[in-house]
Coordinates of all heavy atoms in Angstrom, one line a residue:
M19 N 5.3 25.4 -12.9 CA 6.7 25.3 -12.9 C 7.3 26.4 -13.8 O 6.7 26.6 -14.9 CB 7.2 23.9 -13.2 CG 8.7 23.9 -13.3 SD 9.7 22.5 -13.1 CE 8.9 21.0 -13.1
L20 N 8.4 26.9 -13.5 CA 9.1 27.9 -14.3 C 9.9 27.2 -15.4 O 10.4 26.1 -15.2 CB 10.0 28.8 -13.5 CG 9.4 29.7 -12.5 CD1 10.4 30.3 -11.6 CD2 8.5 30.7 -13.1
P21 N 10.0 27.8 -16.6 CA 10.9 27.3 -17.6 C 12.3 27.2 -17.1 O 12.7 28.0 -16.3 CB 10.7 28.2 -18.8 CG 9.8 29.3 -18.4 CD 9.4 29.1 -17.0
Q22 N 13.1 26.3 -17.7 CA 14.5 26.1 -17.3 C 15.3 27.4 -17.4 O 16.1 27.7 -16.6 CB 15.1 25.0 -18.1 CG 16.5 24.6 -17.6 CD 16.4 24.1 -16.1 OE1 15.6 23.3 -15.8 NE2 17.3 24.7 -15.2
D23 N 15.1 28.2 -18.5 CA 15.9 29.4 -18.6 C 15.6 30.4 -17.5 O 16.5 31.1 -17.0 CB 15.7 30.1 -20.0 CG 14.3 30.5 -20.3 OD1 13.3 29.9 -19.8 OD2 14.1 31.5 -21.0
A24 N 14.3 30.5 -17.0 CA 14.0 31.3 -15.9 C 14.7 30.8 -14.6 O 15.2 31.6 -13.8 CB 12.5 31.4 -15.7
I25 N 14.6 29.5 -14.4 CA 15.3 28.9 -13.2 C 16.8 29.2 -13.2 O 17.3 29.6 -12.2 CB 15.0 27.4 -13.2 CG1 13.5 27.1 -12.9 CG2 15.9 26.7 -12.1 CD1 13.1 25.7 -13.1
D26 N 17.4 29.0 -14.4 CA 18.8 29.3 -14.5 C 19.1 30.8 -14.2 O 20.1 31.1 -13.4 CB 19.3 29.0 -15.9 CG 19.3 27.5 -16.2 OD1 19.2 26.7 -15.3 OD2 19.3 27.1 -17.4
R27 N 18.3 31.7 -14.7 CA 18.5 33.1 -14.4 C 18.4 33.4 -12.9 O 19.2 34.1 -12.3 CB 17.5 33.9 -15.2 CG 17.5 35.4 -14.9 CD 18.8 36.1 -15.3 NE 18.7 37.5 -15.0 CZ 19.7 38.3 -14.8 NH1 20.9 37.9 -14.9 NH2 19.5 39.6 -14.6
L28 N 17.3 32.8 -12.3 CA 17.1 33.0 -10.9 C 18.3 32.5 -10.0 O 18.7 33.1 -9.1 CB 15.8 32.4 -10.4 CG 14.5 33.1 -10.9 CD1 13.3 32.3 -10.7 CD2 14.4 34.5 -10.3
L29 N 18.8 31.3 -10.4 CA 19.9 30.7 -9.7 C 21.1 31.6 -9.8 O 21.9 31.8 -8.8 CB 20.2 29.3 -10.2 CG 19.2 28.3 -9.7 CD1 19.5 27.0 -10.5 CD2 19.2 28.1 -8.2
A30 N 21.3 32.2 -11.0 CA 22.5 33.0 -11.2 C 22.4 34.3 -10.3 O 23.3 34.7 -9.7 CB 22.7 33.4 -12.7
V31 N 21.2 34.9 -10.4 CA 21.0 36.2 -9.6 C 21.1 35.9 -8.1 O 21.7 36.7 -7.4 CB 19.7 36.8 -10.0 CG1 19.3 38.0 -9.1 CG2 19.7 37.3 -11.5
A32 N 20.6 34.8 -7.7 CA 20.5 34.5 -6.2 C 21.9 34.3 -5.6 O 22.0 34.2 -4.4 CB 19.6 33.3 -6.0
Q33 N 22.9 34.1 -6.4 CA 24.2 33.9 -5.9 C 24.7 35.1 -5.1 O 25.3 34.9 -4.1 CB 25.2 33.7 -7.1 CG 25.0 32.5 -7.9 CD 25.4 31.2 -7.0 OE1 26.3 31.2 -6.3 NE2 24.6 30.2 -7.2
D34 N 24.2 36.3 -5.5 CA 24.7 37.5 -4.7 C 23.6 38.6 -4.6 O 23.9 39.7 -4.0 CB 25.9 38.1 -5.3 CG 25.7 38.5 -6.8 OD1 24.6 38.4 -7.3 OD2 26.7 39.0 -7.4
Q35 N 22.4 38.3 -5.0 CA 21.3 39.3 -4.9 C 20.0 38.6 -4.4 O 19.8 37.4 -4.7 CB 21.0 39.9 -6.3 CG 22.1 40.7 -6.9 CD 22.4 42.0 -6.1 OE1 21.4 42.7 -5.6 NE2 23.6 42.3 -5.8
P36 N 19.2 39.3 -3.8 CA 17.9 38.7 -3.3 C 16.9 38.5 -4.5 O 17.0 39.3 -5.4 CB 17.4 39.6 -2.3 CG 17.9 41.0 -2.7 CD 19.3 40.7 -3.3
I37 N 16.1 37.5 -4.4 CA 15.0 37.4 -5.3 C 13.7 37.5 -4.5 O 13.7 37.2 -3.3 CB 15.0 36.1 -6.2 CG1 15.0 34.9 -5.3 CG2 16.2 36.1 -7.1 CD1 14.9 33.6 -6.0
T38 N 12.7 37.9 -5.1 CA 11.4 38.1 -4.4 C 10.3 37.3 -5.0 O 10.1 37.3 -6.2 CB 11.0 39.6 -4.5 OG1 12.0 40.4 -4.0 CG2 9.7 39.8 -3.7
V39 N 9.6 36.5 -4.1 CA 8.5 35.7 -4.6 C 7.3 36.4 -4.0 O 7.1 36.6 -2.8 CB 8.6 34.3 -4.0 CG1 7.4 33.4 -4.4 CG2 9.9 33.6 -4.5
D40 N 6.4 36.8 -4.9 CA 5.2 37.5 -4.6 C 4.0 36.6 -4.8 O 3.6 36.3 -5.9 CB 5.0 38.8 -5.4 CG 3.8 39.6 -5.0 OD1 2.8 39.1 -4.4 OD2 3.9 40.8 -5.2
L41 N 3.4 36.1 -3.7 CA 2.3 35.1 -3.8 C 1.0 35.8 -4.2 O 0.2 35.1 -4.9 CB 2.1 34.4 -2.4 CG 3.2 33.5 -2.0 CD1 3.0 33.0 -0.6 CD2 3.3 32.3 -2.9
E42 N 0.9 37.0 -3.9 CA -0.4 37.7 -4.4 C -0.4 37.8 -5.9 O -1.5 37.6 -6.5 CB -0.5 39.1 -3.7 CG -0.9 39.0 -2.3 CD -1.1 40.4 -1.7 OE1 -1.5 41.3 -2.4 OE2 -0.9 40.5 -0.5
T43 N 0.7 38.2 -6.5 CA 0.7 38.4 -8.0 C 1.3 37.2 -8.7 O 1.3 37.1 -9.9 CB 1.6 39.6 -8.4 OG1 2.9 39.4 -8.0 CG2 1.0 40.9 -7.8
M44 N 1.7 36.2 -7.9 CA 2.3 34.9 -8.4 C 3.4 35.2 -9.4 O 3.4 34.8 -10.5 CB 1.2 34.0 -8.9 CG 0.3 33.5 -7.8 SD -0.7 32.1 -8.2 CE -1.7 32.7 -9.6
T45 N 4.4 36.0 -8.9 CA 5.6 36.3 -9.7 C 6.8 36.2 -8.9 O 6.8 36.4 -7.7 CB 5.5 37.8 -10.3 OG1 5.4 38.7 -9.2 CG2 4.4 37.9 -11.3
V46 N 7.9 35.9 -9.6 CA 9.2 36.0 -9.0 C 10.0 37.1 -9.7 O 10.0 37.1 -10.9 CB 10.0 34.6 -9.1 CG1 11.3 34.6 -8.5 CG2 9.1 33.4 -8.6
T47 N 10.6 38.0 -8.9 CA 11.3 39.1 -9.5 C 12.7 39.2 -9.0 O 13.0 38.7 -7.9 CB 10.6 40.4 -9.3 OG1 10.5 40.6 -7.9 CG2 9.2 40.5 -9.9
T48 N 13.6 39.8 -9.7 CA 15.0 40.1 -9.3 C 15.2 41.6 -9.3 O 14.4 42.4 -9.8 CB 16.0 39.5 -10.3 OG1 15.9 40.3 -11.5 CG2 15.6 38.0 -10.6
P49 N 16.3 42.0 -8.6 CA 16.6 43.4 -8.6 C 16.9 44.0 -10.0 O 16.9 45.2 -10.2 CB 17.9 43.5 -7.8 CG 17.9 42.3 -7.0 CD 17.2 41.2 -7.8
Y50 N 17.1 43.1 -11.0 CA 17.3 43.6 -12.4 C 16.1 43.6 -13.2 O 16.1 43.7 -14.4 CB 18.3 42.6 -13.0 CG 19.6 42.5 -12.2 CD1 19.9 41.3 -11.5 CD2 20.5 43.5 -12.1 CE1 21.1 41.2 -10.8 CE2 21.7 43.4 -11.4 CZ 21.9 42.3 -10.7 OH 23.1 42.2 -10.0
Q51 N 14.9 43.6 -12.5 CA 13.6 43.7 -13.2 C 13.2 42.5 -14.0 O 12.3 42.6 -14.8 CB 13.5 45.0 -14.0 CG 13.7 46.3 -13.2 CD 12.9 46.4 -12.0 OE1 11.7 46.2 -12.0 NE2 13.5 46.7 -10.9
D52 N 13.9 41.4 -13.8 CA 13.4 40.1 -14.4 C 12.1 39.8 -13.6 O 12.0 40.0 -12.4 CB 14.4 39.0 -14.1 CG 15.7 39.2 -14.7 OD1 15.8 39.4 -16.0 OD2 16.8 39.2 -14.0
R53 N 11.1 39.4 -14.4 CA 9.8 39.1 -13.8 C 9.3 37.8 -14.4 O 9.1 37.7 -15.6 CB 8.9 40.2 -14.1 CG 7.5 40.1 -13.4 CD 6.7 41.3 -13.8 NE 5.3 41.2 -13.3 CZ 4.9 41.7 -12.2 NH1 5.7 42.3 -11.4 NH2 3.6 41.5 -11.8
F54 N 9.1 36.7 -13.5 CA 8.7 35.4 -14.0 C 7.4 35.0 -13.3 O 7.3 34.8 -12.1 CB 9.8 34.4 -13.7 CG 11.1 34.7 -14.2 CD1 12.1 35.2 -13.4 CD2 11.4 34.6 -15.6 CE1 13.4 35.5 -13.9 CE2 12.6 34.9 -16.1 CZ 13.6 35.3 -15.3
P55 N 6.3 35.0 -14.1 CA 5.0 34.5 -13.5 C 5.0 33.0 -13.3 O 5.7 32.3 -14.0 CB 4.0 34.9 -14.5 CG 4.7 35.0 -15.8 CD 6.2 35.3 -15.5
F56 N 4.3 32.6 -12.2 CA 4.2 31.1 -12.0 C 2.7 30.8 -11.6 O 2.0 31.7 -11.2 CB 5.2 30.7 -10.9 CG 4.9 31.3 -9.5 CD1 4.1 30.7 -8.6 CD2 5.5 32.5 -9.2 CE1 3.9 31.2 -7.3 CE2 5.3 33.1 -7.9 CZ 4.5 32.4 -7.0
E57 N 2.4 29.6 -11.7 CA 1.1 29.1 -11.3 C 1.1 28.3 -10.0 O 2.1 27.7 -9.7 CB 0.5 28.2 -12.4 CG 0.2 29.0 -13.7 CD -0.4 28.1 -14.7 OE1 -0.9 27.0 -14.4 OE2 -0.4 28.5 -15.9
L58 N 0.1 28.5 -9.2 CA -0.1 27.8 -7.9 C -1.5 27.7 -7.7 O -2.3 28.6 -7.8 CB 0.6 28.6 -6.8 CG 0.8 28.0 -5.5 CD1 1.7 26.8 -5.5 CD2 1.4 29.1 -4.5
D59 N -2.0 26.5 -7.2 CA -3.4 26.3 -7.0 C -3.8 27.2 -5.8 O -3.1 27.5 -4.9 CB -3.8 24.8 -6.8 CG -3.3 24.3 -5.5 OD1 -4.0 24.5 -4.5 OD2 -2.3 23.6 -5.5
A60 N -5.1 27.6 -5.9 CA -5.6 28.6 -4.9 C -5.5 28.1 -3.5 O -5.1 28.9 -2.6 CB -7.1 28.9 -5.3
F61 N -5.7 26.9 -3.2 CA -5.7 26.4 -1.8 C -4.2 26.5 -1.3 O -4.0 27.0 -0.2 CB -6.2 24.9 -1.7 CG -6.0 24.3 -0.4 CD1 -6.9 24.7 0.6 CD2 -5.0 23.4 -0.1 CE1 -6.7 24.1 1.9 CE2 -4.9 22.8 1.1 CZ -5.8 23.2 2.1
R62 N -3.3 26.0 -2.0 CA -1.9 26.1 -1.6 C -1.4 27.5 -1.4 O -0.7 27.9 -0.5 CB -1.0 25.3 -2.5 CG -1.2 23.8 -2.5 CD 0.0 23.0 -2.8 NE -0.3 21.6 -2.9 CZ -0.3 20.8 -1.9 NH1 0.0 21.3 -0.7 NH2 -0.6 19.5 -2.0
R63 N -1.8 28.3 -2.4 CA -1.4 29.7 -2.3 C -1.9 30.4 -1.0 O -1.2 31.1 -0.3 CB -2.0 30.5 -3.5 CG -1.7 31.9 -3.6 CD -2.2 32.5 -4.9 NE -2.2 34.0 -4.8 CZ -3.2 34.7 -5.1 NH1 -4.4 34.2 -5.5 NH2 -3.1 36.0 -5.1
Q64 N -3.2 30.1 -0.7 CA -3.8 30.7 0.5 C -3.1 30.2 1.8 O -2.8 30.9 2.7 CB -5.3 30.4 0.6 CG -6.0 31.1 1.6 CD -6.0 32.6 1.4 OE1 -6.1 33.1 0.2 NE2 -6.0 33.4 2.4
C65 N -2.8 28.9 1.8 CA -2.1 28.3 2.9 C -0.7 29.0 3.1 O -0.3 29.3 4.2 CB -1.9 26.8 2.7 SG -3.4 25.8 2.9
L66 N 0.0 29.2 2.0 CA 1.3 29.8 2.1 C 1.2 31.3 2.6 O 2.0 31.7 3.4 CB 2.0 29.8 0.8 CG 2.6 28.4 0.3 CD1 3.0 28.5 -1.1 CD2 3.8 28.1 1.2
M67 N 0.2 32.0 2.1 CA 0.0 33.4 2.5 C -0.4 33.5 3.9 O 0.0 34.5 4.6 CB -1.1 34.0 1.6 CG -0.6 34.2 0.2 SD -1.8 34.9 -1.0 CE -1.9 36.5 -0.4
E68 N -1.1 32.5 4.5 CA -1.5 32.5 5.9 C -0.5 31.8 6.8 O -0.7 31.7 8.0 CB -2.9 31.9 6.0 CG -4.0 32.7 5.4 CD -5.3 32.1 5.5 OE1 -5.5 31.1 6.3 OE2 -6.2 32.6 4.8
G69 N 0.6 31.2 6.2 CA 1.6 30.5 6.9 C 1.1 29.2 7.6 O 1.5 28.8 8.6
L70 N 0.2 28.5 6.9 CA -0.4 27.3 7.4 C 0.1 26.1 6.8 O 0.2 26.0 5.5 CB -1.9 27.4 7.2 CG -2.7 28.5 8.0 CD1 -4.2 28.5 7.6 CD2 -2.5 28.3 9.5
D71 N 0.5 25.1 7.6 CA 0.8 23.8 7.1 C -0.4 22.9 7.5 O -1.4 23.3 8.0 CB 2.2 23.3 7.6 CG 2.2 23.2 9.1 OD1 1.1 23.4 9.8 OD2 3.2 22.8 9.7
E72 N -0.2 21.5 7.4 CA -1.3 20.6 7.7 C -1.7 20.8 9.2 O -2.9 20.7 9.5 CB -0.9 19.2 7.4 CG -0.8 18.8 6.0 CD 0.5 19.3 5.3 OE1 1.4 19.8 6.0 OE2 0.7 19.1 4.1
V73 N -0.7 20.9 10.1 CA -1.0 21.1 11.5 C -1.7 22.4 11.7 O -2.7 22.5 12.4 CB 0.3 21.0 12.4 CG1 0.0 21.3 13.8 CG2 0.9 19.6 12.2
G74 N -1.3 23.4 11.1 CA -1.9 24.8 11.3 C -3.3 24.8 10.7 O -4.2 25.4 11.3
L75 N -3.6 24.1 9.6 CA -4.9 24.0 9.1 C -5.8 23.3 10.1 O -7.0 23.7 10.3 CB -4.9 23.2 7.8 CG -4.4 23.9 6.6 CD1 -4.3 23.0 5.4 CD2 -5.4 25.1 6.2
T76 N -5.3 22.2 10.7 CA -6.1 21.5 11.7 C -6.4 22.4 12.9 O -7.5 22.5 13.4 CB -5.4 20.2 12.2 OG1 -5.2 19.4 11.0 CG2 -6.3 19.5 13.2
L77 N -5.4 23.1 13.4 CA -5.5 24.0 14.6 C -6.5 25.2 14.3 O -7.2 25.6 15.2 CB -4.2 24.5 15.1 CG -3.3 23.4 15.7 CD1 -1.9 24.0 16.0 CD2 -3.9 22.8 16.9
A78 N -6.5 25.6 13.1 CA -7.4 26.7 12.7 C -8.8 26.3 12.8 O -9.7 27.2 12.9 CB -7.0 27.2 11.3
R79 N -9.1 25.0 12.8 CA -10.4 24.5 12.9 C -10.7 23.9 14.2 O -11.7 23.1 14.4 CB -10.7 23.5 11.8 CG -10.6 24.0 10.4 CD -11.3 23.2 9.4 NE -11.5 23.6 8.0 CZ -11.0 24.5 7.3 NH1 -10.2 25.4 7.9 NH2 -11.3 24.7 6.1
D80 N -10.0 24.3 15.2 CA -10.1 23.8 16.6 C -11.5 23.9 17.1 O -12.0 23.0 17.8 CB -9.0 24.4 17.5 CG -9.1 23.9 18.9 OD1 -9.0 22.6 19.0 OD2 -9.2 24.7 19.8
T81 N -12.1 25.1 16.9 CA -13.4 25.3 17.5 C -14.4 24.4 16.9 O -15.2 23.8 17.6 CB -13.8 26.8 17.2 OG1 -12.9 27.7 17.8 CG2 -15.2 27.1 17.8
Q82 N -14.4 24.2 15.5 CA -15.3 23.3 14.9 C -15.1 21.9 15.4 O -16.0 21.1 15.6 CB -15.2 23.4 13.4 CG -15.7 24.7 12.8 CD -14.5 25.5 12.4 OE1 -13.5 25.5 12.9 NE2 -14.8 26.4 11.3
I83 N -13.8 21.5 15.5 CA -13.5 20.1 15.9 C -14.0 19.9 17.4 O -14.6 18.9 17.7 CB -12.0 19.9 15.9 CG1 -11.5 19.9 14.4 CG2 -11.6 18.6 16.6 CD1 -10.0 19.9 14.2
S84 N -13.8 20.9 18.2 CA -14.3 20.8 19.6 C -15.8 20.6 19.7 O -16.4 19.8 20.5 CB -13.8 21.9 20.5 OG -12.4 21.9 20.6
K85 N -16.5 21.4 18.9 CA -18.0 21.4 18.8 C -18.4 20.0 18.4 O -19.4 19.4 18.9 CB -18.6 22.4 17.9 CG -18.6 23.8 18.5 CD -19.1 24.8 17.6 CE -19.0 26.2 18.1 NZ -19.6 27.3 17.2
Y86 N -17.8 19.5 17.3 CA -18.1 18.1 16.8 C -17.9 17.1 17.9 O -18.8 16.2 18.1 CB -17.3 17.8 15.6 CG -17.5 16.4 15.1 CD1 -18.6 16.0 14.4 CD2 -16.6 15.4 15.4 CE1 -18.8 14.7 14.0 CE2 -16.7 14.1 15.0 CZ -17.8 13.7 14.3 OH -18.0 12.4 13.9
E87 N -16.8 17.1 18.6 CA -16.5 16.1 19.6 C -17.4 16.2 20.7 O -17.8 15.2 21.3 CB -15.0 16.3 20.1 CG -14.0 15.9 19.0 CD -12.6 16.1 19.5 OE1 -12.3 16.9 20.4 OE2 -11.7 15.5 18.9
A88 N -17.9 17.4 21.1 CA -18.9 17.6 22.2 C -20.2 17.0 21.7 O -20.9 16.3 22.5 CB -19.1 19.1 22.5
G89 N -20.6 17.2 20.5 CA -21.8 16.5 20.0 C -21.7 15.0 20.0 O -22.7 14.3 20.3
V90 N -20.6 14.5 19.6 CA -20.4 13.0 19.7 C -20.5 12.6 21.1 O -21.2 11.6 21.4 CB -19.0 12.6 19.1 CG1 -18.7 11.2 19.4 CG2 -19.0 12.9 17.6
A91 N -19.9 13.2 22.1 CA -20.0 12.8 23.4 C -21.4 12.9 24.0 O -21.9 12.0 24.7 CB -19.1 13.7 24.3
E92 N -22.2 13.9 23.5 CA -23.6 14.0 24.0 C -24.5 13.0 23.3 O -25.3 12.4 24.0 CB -24.0 15.4 23.6 CG -25.5 15.7 24.1 CD -25.9 17.1 23.8 OE1 -25.0 18.0 23.7 OE2 -27.1 17.4 23.7
H93 N -24.4 12.8 22.0 CA -25.3 12.0 21.3 C -24.9 10.5 21.2 O -25.7 9.7 20.9 CB -25.6 12.6 19.9 CG -26.2 13.9 20.0 ND1 -27.5 14.2 20.4 CD2 -25.7 15.1 19.7 CE1 -27.7 15.5 20.4 NE2 -26.7 16.1 19.9
R94 N -23.6 10.3 21.4 CA -23.1 8.9 21.3 C -22.1 8.7 22.4 O -20.9 8.5 22.2 CB -22.4 8.7 19.9 CG -23.3 8.8 18.7 CD -22.5 8.6 17.5 NE -23.3 8.8 16.3 CZ -23.2 9.8 15.5 NH1 -22.2 10.7 15.6 NH2 -24.0 10.0 14.5
P95 N -22.6 8.7 23.7 CA -21.7 8.6 24.8 C -20.8 7.3 24.8 O -19.7 7.4 25.4 CB -22.6 8.6 26.0 CG -24.0 8.2 25.5 CD -24.0 8.7 24.0
W96 N -21.2 6.3 24.2 CA -20.4 5.1 24.1 C -19.2 5.2 23.3 O -18.3 4.4 23.4 CB -21.3 3.9 23.6 CG -21.7 4.1 22.2 CD1 -21.0 3.8 21.0 CD2 -22.9 4.8 21.7 NE1 -21.7 4.2 19.9 CE2 -22.9 4.8 20.3 CE3 -24.0 5.4 22.4 CZ2 -23.9 5.3 19.6 CZ3 -25.0 5.9 21.6 CH2 -25.0 5.9 20.2
M97 N -19.0 6.4 22.6 CA -17.9 6.6 21.7 C -16.8 7.5 22.3 O -15.8 7.8 21.7 CB -18.3 7.1 20.4 CG -19.1 6.1 19.6 SD -19.6 6.8 18.0 CE -18.0 7.0 17.2
S98 N -17.1 8.1 23.5 CA -16.1 9.1 24.0 C -15.7 8.8 25.4 O -16.4 8.3 26.3 CB -16.8 10.4 24.0 OG -17.9 10.5 24.8
G99 N -14.4 9.1 25.7 CA -13.8 9.1 27.0 C -14.1 7.8 27.8 O -14.1 6.7 27.3
E100 N -14.2 8.0 29.1 CA -14.3 6.9 30.0 C -15.6 6.1 29.8 O -15.7 4.9 29.9 CB -14.3 7.3 31.5 CG -12.9 7.8 31.9 CD -11.9 6.7 31.9 OE1 -12.2 5.6 32.3 OE2 -10.8 7.0 31.4
R101 N -16.6 6.8 29.3 CA -17.9 6.1 29.1 C -17.8 5.2 27.9 O -18.6 4.3 27.8 CB -19.0 7.2 28.8 CG -19.4 7.9 30.1 CD -20.5 8.8 29.9 NE -20.1 10.0 29.2 CZ -20.9 11.0 28.7 NH1 -22.2 10.9 28.9 NH2 -20.4 12.0 28.1
A102 N -16.8 5.4 27.1 CA -16.7 4.5 25.9 C -16.3 3.1 26.4 O -16.6 2.1 25.7 CB -15.6 5.0 25.0
H103 N -15.7 3.0 27.6 CA -15.3 1.6 28.1 C -16.2 1.1 29.2 O -16.0 0.0 29.7 CB -13.9 1.7 28.6 CG -12.9 2.2 27.6 ND1 -12.6 1.5 26.5 CD2 -12.3 3.4 27.5 CE1 -11.7 2.2 25.8 NE2 -11.5 3.4 26.4
A104 N -17.2 1.9 29.6 CA -18.1 1.5 30.6 C -18.9 0.2 30.3 O -19.4 0.1 29.2 CB -19.1 2.6 30.9
G105 N -18.9 -0.8 31.2 CA -19.6 -2.0 31.0 C -18.8 -3.0 30.2 O -19.2 -4.2 30.0
I106 N -17.6 -2.7 29.8 CA -16.7 -3.7 29.1 C -15.8 -4.3 30.1 O -15.1 -3.6 30.8 CB -15.9 -3.0 28.0 CG1 -16.8 -2.4 26.9 CG2 -14.9 -4.0 27.3 CD1 -16.1 -1.6 25.9
V107 N -15.8 -5.6 30.2 CA -14.9 -6.3 31.1 C -13.7 -6.7 30.4 O -13.8 -7.4 29.4 CB -15.7 -7.5 31.8 CG1 -14.7 -8.3 32.7 CG2 -16.9 -7.0 32.5
V108 N -12.5 -6.4 30.9 CA -11.3 -6.9 30.4 C -10.7 -7.9 31.4 O -10.3 -7.5 32.5 CB -10.3 -5.7 30.2 CG1 -9.0 -6.2 29.6 CG2 -10.9 -4.6 29.3
E109 N -10.8 -9.1 31.0 CA -10.4 -10.2 31.9 C -9.0 -10.1 32.4 O -8.1 -9.7 31.6 CB -10.6 -11.6 31.3 CG -12.1 -11.8 31.0 CD -12.4 -13.3 30.9 OE1 -11.6 -14.1 31.4 OE2 -13.4 -13.6 30.3
G110 N -8.8 -10.3 33.7 CA -7.4 -10.3 34.3 C -7.0 -8.9 34.7 O -6.0 -8.8 35.3
T111 N -7.8 -7.9 34.5 CA -7.4 -6.5 34.9 C -8.3 -6.0 36.0 O -7.9 -5.0 36.6 CB -7.5 -5.5 33.7 OG1 -8.9 -5.4 33.3 CG2 -6.7 -5.9 32.5
G112 N -9.4 -6.6 36.2 CA -10.3 -6.1 37.3 C -11.1 -4.9 36.9 O -11.7 -4.2 37.6
R113 N -10.9 -4.5 35.6 CA -11.6 -3.3 35.1 C -12.9 -3.7 34.4 O -13.1 -4.7 33.8 CB -10.7 -2.6 34.0 CG -9.5 -2.0 34.6 CD -8.7 -1.3 33.6 NE -9.5 -0.7 32.5 CZ -9.0 -0.3 31.4 NH1 -7.7 -0.3 31.1 NH2 -9.8 0.2 30.4
T114 N -13.9 -2.8 34.6 CA -15.1 -2.9 33.8 C -15.4 -1.6 33.1 O -14.8 -0.6 33.3 CB -16.3 -3.1 34.8 OG1 -16.4 -2.0 35.7 CG2 -16.2 -4.4 35.5

């Protein structure tokens, strides 16, 4: 987190000037050469740099998830899809 005086300065400058947040160098700068370093954990920094949120992180692992699910279907057929319900009778529905 930035100190309050840095936040105040950034708010004042942002009224009519752009401020720049540089995730690579972890600094916030103004056109007046104010430079404020900040800390951010490596995982969150990488997610921001790649534009990933929780959904994006999951989708980025789609291939691994699909391989895992295929393995589950192959080695534990009772846990996947229609075969998961095979042999189970639900009374009153005529389904097995």
Side-chain angles (χ1 to χ4, degrees):
M19 176 155 14
L20 293 173
Q22 189 61 49
D23 61 330
I25 293 169
D26 294 341
R27 173 66 176 156
L28 290 169
L29 288 172
V31 171
Q33 294 292 319
D34 60 3
Q35 296 292 318
I37 59 172
T38 302
V39 178
D40 186 332
L41 293 172
E42 286 187 28
T43 62
M44 293 194 300
T45 57
V46 182
T47 57
T48 71
Y50 304 109
Q51 302 307 312
D52 299 302
R53 184 179 174 94
F54 305 105
F56 64 90
E57 293 182 15
L58 188 63
D59 70 81
F61 176 73
R62 292 207 185 275
R63 179 177 169 232
Q64 192 64 34
C65 287
L66 286 169
M67 290 176 71
E68 293 178 13
L70 297 174
D71 61 3
E72 288 82 1
V73 173
L75 284 169
T76 301
L77 292 175
R79 296 203 172 10
D80 182 52
T81 301
Q82 292 105 329
I83 292 169
S84 294
K85 286 180 183 177
Y86 172 79
E87 288 175 343
V90 167
E92 182 179 335
H93 299 292
R94 298 181 183 111
W96 62 91
M97 292 180 67
S98 64
E100 288 298 316
R101 291 186 281 175
H103 304 290
I106 299 174
V107 177
V108 180
E109 295 203 21
T111 66
R113 292 181 31 192
T114 60

